[in-house]
Amino acid sequence: MRVVIAEDNALLREGLVLLLTSTGHEVVAVVGTGPEILPALLDRRPDAAVLDVRMPPTFRDEGLRAALAARKEIPGLPVLVLSQYVEESYAAELLGGGVSGVGYLLKDRIGRVDEFLDALERVAAGGTALDPEVVAELLTRRRGSPLETLTPREREVLKMMAEGHDNTTIAKTLVITERSVSKHIGNVFLKLGLPPSDSGHRRVLAVLAYLNNA
């Protein structure tokens, strides 16, 4: 996989380069400021981009803005955005541009190497990878919506779907059968007014689209 990295923290930046190269990926560009991001993405046309939300010179949302601009220039460009904290407005804005090939992780998640690499691969394949804490924020802040009609178990299943997990993983994590998972998913779609689908990927996209627009 060809990857562009945008991160201002030198230690984290070099750590990401070492991690990705040591696991067989090719880092085609590394930038440390906001204005460098878009030119690097347009020039290198990577398979995926790993971008910090806050970059110099203002440390506000340069990385996010670059990600949104790049996806307009390169439709479907897989982007995994990193953030120090849960910032719902940033997550919602990123999802608003289309949820295919999008990830939003807290930086703490990078230390869990397998989880980070799995998230990057899912995003590069056109899937989604939302940090569990981000999903929790999205779910708990949707007051006055059909989400409040979900049972605790249905919310657990929805949360894991939004994180990008398939039915098998959900079943193992919650220690229930896959048949039970399918039943809960059916109930979730029914209560949220979303058409069920045989595709786990499409189900995730539908749920995320609902969360973004609820």
Side-chain angles (χ1 to χ4, degrees):
M1 185 193 309
R2 300 172 67 254
V3 184
V4 166
I5 296 173
E7 169 59 54
D8 69 292
N9 183 297
L11 183 60
L12 180 55
R13 185 171 62 238
E14 293 306 313
L16 285 169
V17 172
L18 179 61
L19 172 61
L20 292 177
T21 54
S22 66
T23 51
H25 302 297
E26 179 185 2
V27 178
V28 295
V30 181
V31 301
T33 67
E36 298 177 276
I37 299 174
L38 186 57
L41 292 174
L42 295 179
D43 178 57
R44 298 295 182 173
R45 303 276 169 151
D47 299 315
V50 179
L51 313 175
D52 190 351
V53 167
R54 300 187 176 193
M55 297 282 289
T58 69
F59 292 97
R60 291 180 181 174
D61 58 0
E62 285 85 352
L64 176 70
R65 294 296 164 204
L68 295 173
R71 282 171 66 87
K72 287 182 180 179
E73 296 289 336
I74 312 174
L77 172 67
V79 174
L80 179 58
V81 171
L82 306 177
S83 179
Q84 190 69 42
Y85 310 103
V86 176
E87 298 173 284
E88 185 191 0
S89 60
Y90 289 163
E93 189 161 2
L94 184 65
L95 293 173
V99 294
S100 177
V102 171
Y104 187 106
L105 295 182
L106 296 183
K107 287 188 176 181
D108 288 347
R109 200 68 56 184
I110 300 175
R112 304 172 188 179
V113 174
D114 290 340
E115 289 185 30
F116 172 72
L117 292 175
D118 178 63
L120 180 59
E121 289 174 3
R122 287 208 309 269
V123 169
T128 55
L130 294 189
D131 194 284
E133 291 188 35
V134 174
V135 175
E137 286 287 328
L138 291 172
L139 287 172
T140 57
R141 296 188 185 187
R142 292 300 188 265
R143 300 300 181 185
S145 78
L147 287 171
E148 294 183 349
T149 68
L150 301 182
T151 66
R153 178 64 83 186
E154 289 165 357
R155 290 175 70 87
E156 286 181 316
V157 171
L158 174 60
K159 180 175 179 291
M160 295 198 67
M161 288 172 63
E163 290 166 16
H165 298 296
D166 58 24
N167 288 13
T168 301
T169 301
I170 294 173
K172 289 181 179 178
T173 302
L174 300 181
V175 194
I176 58 178
T177 65
E178 288 191 46
R179 183 175 180 180
S180 294
V181 171
S182 297
K183 181 179 179 180
H184 289 310
I185 290 174
N187 290 338
V188 167
F189 278 112
L190 181 63
K191 292 179 179 180
L192 300 187
L194 296 171
S197 167
D198 291 334
S199 168
H201 177 61
R202 288 180 180 177
R203 287 202 301 273
V204 171
L205 298 184
V207 170
L208 290 176
Y210 176 84
L211 291 175
N212 185 52
N213 293 291

